Amino acid sequence: MSIATPLTTTLQRSPPPLVPSFSPIHATTVSVTGIPKRCLLRMVTSCVSHSQSSVQNGVTDAVVSGRNQIRLGLPSKGRMATDTLDLLKDCQLSVKQVNPRQYVAQIPQLPNTEVWFQRPKDIVRKLLSGDLDLGIVGLDIVSEFGQGNEDLIIVHEALNFGDCHLSLAIPNYGIFENINSLKELAHMPQWTKERPLRVATGFTYLGPKFMKENGIKHVTFSTADGALEAAPAMGIADAILDLVSSGTTLKENNLKEIEGGVVLQSQAALVASRRALTERTGALDTVHEILERLEAHLKAAGQFTVVANMRGTDAEEVAARLKTQPSLSGLQGPTISPVYCKRDGKVSIEFYAIVICIPKKALYESVQQLRAVGGSGVLVSPLTYIFDEETPRWSQLLSNLGL
């Protein structure tokens, strides 16, 4: 029987693992060589005059150009892109793309609008530069790349997909085994100026901002091209700051979230440029239509229409019976209409038809309550849209714009 090779020897002989590329965050200076000064001057002058924008502290202050088309930026790849197109289709705003390889498309119901498929972070950047007017993107990306710029306005913050949260995660073993909160992590004696807490993240704005707001001084950040979850096990980082959906990936990599470690909650949102809404012709009207369609569809998504017949002496008596049941109030109250029956050649009213909007989660309970007060012939159908007299978010948007 052969003797097994010691683990340490095996590790020494094995080829080095593929390690994600991590690099510390630092300022970068770019130099230009090999270009004559006169040509370089012409290039710079041309770029400045073409962009018509000024940059302060890394943030572009855009000037609205004279184009007539309104530009809507949508995610170009992944689950976010698919869910965005599905939502727009459900709102009767189907995106028509002649060629799937093209990055520009149309929405026939919005003839003055162009759709541009972009990376999520580029959607935010181009909203700030004035190259896009509207966009659908995650709130995490808005916060990271918008960096609190006042030109960005969240028109609708909850499109009901892309749900996740940005959270700090640490190993569930070693010196972190009994660490369960951000406060406990911050007070660990291991972190000093010479040996700070090392955090791997792709959120190089939100990460440092979060740590500073929570009074954690001895911390350094690094960026990664690969999977962040591998960083602590490889000894490259002590913790990671990343987006979490179900938390399964963290658990499979022996990582855990901690109390107080959630930076923000995120989901898909409709975002707009303040300048575009106030200065570009037709932009505000387009946003109004998109917002109304979104609100009507999203409000109806969790509702059923329930129709039933009830025997009664009059509408008030039927309404009184319905009001005794907690799940039969509807959006504002049940709609009650007489059912005209013909008996012995005469028209009479013996039944009343009731129409109620019921939350999907309470459907069976509501049907049981209907039966309890004399309801019969219960019909259930899904709702497609619920249009309010005016959407609350529209009023809020006008207020934010000072209109």
Side-chain angles (χ1 to χ4, degrees):
M1 180 181 295
S2 61
I3 301 175
T5 305
L7 179 59
T8 54
T9 305
T10 304
L11 290 176
Q12 291 173 356
R13 292 180 179 178
S14 300
L18 296 176
V19 181
S21 174
F22 290 80
S23 58
I25 300 170
H26 55 80
T28 303
T29 302
V30 180
S31 61
V32 181
T33 59
I35 302 177
K37 183 181 294 184
R38 180 177 301 174
C39 295
L40 181 60
L41 180 60
R42 289 176 180 173
M43 290 170 61
V44 173
T45 304
S46 175
C47 291
V48 172
S49 62
H50 177 71
S51 65
Q52 296 183 347
S53 64
S54 61
V55 180
Q56 296 179 349
N57 299 324
V59 179
T60 303
D61 184 18
V63 176
V64 174
S65 63
R67 58 180 164 81
N68 295 322
Q69 291 292 97
I70 296 160
R71 291 178 177 174
L72 169 65
L74 301 182
S76 57
K77 296 179 181 179
R79 180 67 179 271
M80 194 77 165
T82 302
D83 289 346
T84 300
L85 293 178
D86 288 344
L87 174 62
L88 291 175
K89 183 178 180 180
D90 289 340
C91 296
Q92 304 300 312
L93 293 174
S94 296
V95 177
K96 303 299 181 181
Q97 195 175 11
V98 178
N99 186 332
R101 294 182 179 272
Q102 291 180 336
Y103 286 89
V104 63
Q106 305 292 329
I107 298 178
Q109 288 77 13
L110 303 174
N112 65 330
T113 302
E114 293 177 342
V115 172
W116 287 81
F117 293 101
Q118 301 285 302
R119 296 184 302 176
K121 62 182 179 181
D122 289 335
I123 291 176
V124 177
R125 288 169 174 166
K126 290 177 181 179
L127 283 170
L128 292 174
S129 68
D131 296 310
L132 291 175
D133 305 313
L134 314 170
I136 293 179
V137 69
L139 289 171
D140 58 299
I141 300 299
V142 176
S143 300
E144 173 67 18
F145 295 95
Q147 300 186 7
N149 192 298
E150 293 183 355
D151 188 54
L152 289 179
I153 290 186
I154 307 296
V155 179
H156 197 302
E157 76 290 349
L159 297 183
N160 288 358
F161 67 91
D163 297 77
C164 60
H165 58 276
L166 181 61
S167 182
L168 191 68
I170 60 176
N172 56 17
Y173 53 85
I175 62 173
F176 301 101
E177 184 175 1
N178 297 317
I179 302 300
N180 298 301
S181 70
L182 183 64
K183 185 177 180 180
E184 292 174 349
L185 178 65
H187 287 87
M188 290 179 67
Q190 285 85 350
W191 319 133
T192 64
K193 185 176 181 180
E194 292 72 25
R195 174 56 173 93
L197 173 69
R198 301 168 301 164
V199 180
T201 186
F203 291 84
T204 57
Y205 169 75
L206 291 176
K209 180 175 180 288
F210 176 75
M211 291 298 188
K212 183 178 179 181
E213 290 173 349
N214 285 276
I216 302 178
K217 298 179 180 179
H218 302 310
V219 59
T220 184
F221 291 85
S222 61
T223 57
D225 296 328
L228 291 179
E229 291 83 3
M234 291 179 174
I236 300 171
D238 303 303
I240 68 171
L241 182 66
D242 202 8
L243 294 175
V244 180
S245 295
S246 64
T248 302
T249 304
L250 292 180
K251 293 178 182 178
E252 291 177 347
N253 287 275
N254 297 316
L255 298 173
K256 63 182 179 182
E257 296 182 80
I258 56 178
E259 181 184 350
V262 176
V263 178
L264 60 80
Q265 299 288 339
S266 179
Q267 63 175 298
L270 175 63
V271 191
S273 161
R274 180 185 300 270
R275 290 177 180 270
L277 295 183
T278 55
E279 298 178 19
R280 191 176 305 287
T281 302
L284 198 58
D285 291 336
T286 298
V287 168
H288 191 193
E289 180 173 349
I290 294 174
L291 182 59
E292 286 227 276
R293 288 174 179 266
L294 289 173
E295 291 259 277
H297 170 68
L298 292 172
K299 186 170 183 178
Q303 301 282 336
F304 277 122
T305 299
V306 176
V307 180
N309 287 336
M310 287 184 63
R311 190 184 297 272
T313 56
D314 54 45
E316 287 74 14
E317 186 266 335
V318 171
R321 275 189 282 158
L322 289 174
K323 288 295 185 179
T324 64
Q325 304 299 318
S327 297
L328 303 182
S329 57
L331 295 177
Q332 295 176 326
T335 300
I336 303 173
S337 305
V339 177
Y340 296 93
C341 304
K342 189 173 183 180
R343 293 185 181 276
D344 301 327
K346 296 181 180 181
V347 176
S348 63
I349 300 175
E350 298 180 7
F351 289 89
Y352 288 84
I354 64 168
V355 181
I356 311 174
C357 289
I358 300 294
K360 288 183 178 180
K361 294 181 179 180
L363 177 62
Y364 184 72
E365 178 185 359
S366 301
V367 171
Q368 294 293 83
Q369 291 179 13
L370 265 175
R371 289 170 173 168
V373 293
S376 63
V378 181
L379 305 178
V380 179
S381 58
L383 273 170
T384 306
Y385 304 103
I386 298 176
F387 285 95
D388 288 325
E389 184 176 354
E390 187 59 85
T391 62
R393 286 183 176 86
W394 173 246
S395 301
Q396 183 180 352
L397 176 61
L398 294 180
S399 177
N400 290 339
L401 294 173
L403 300 176

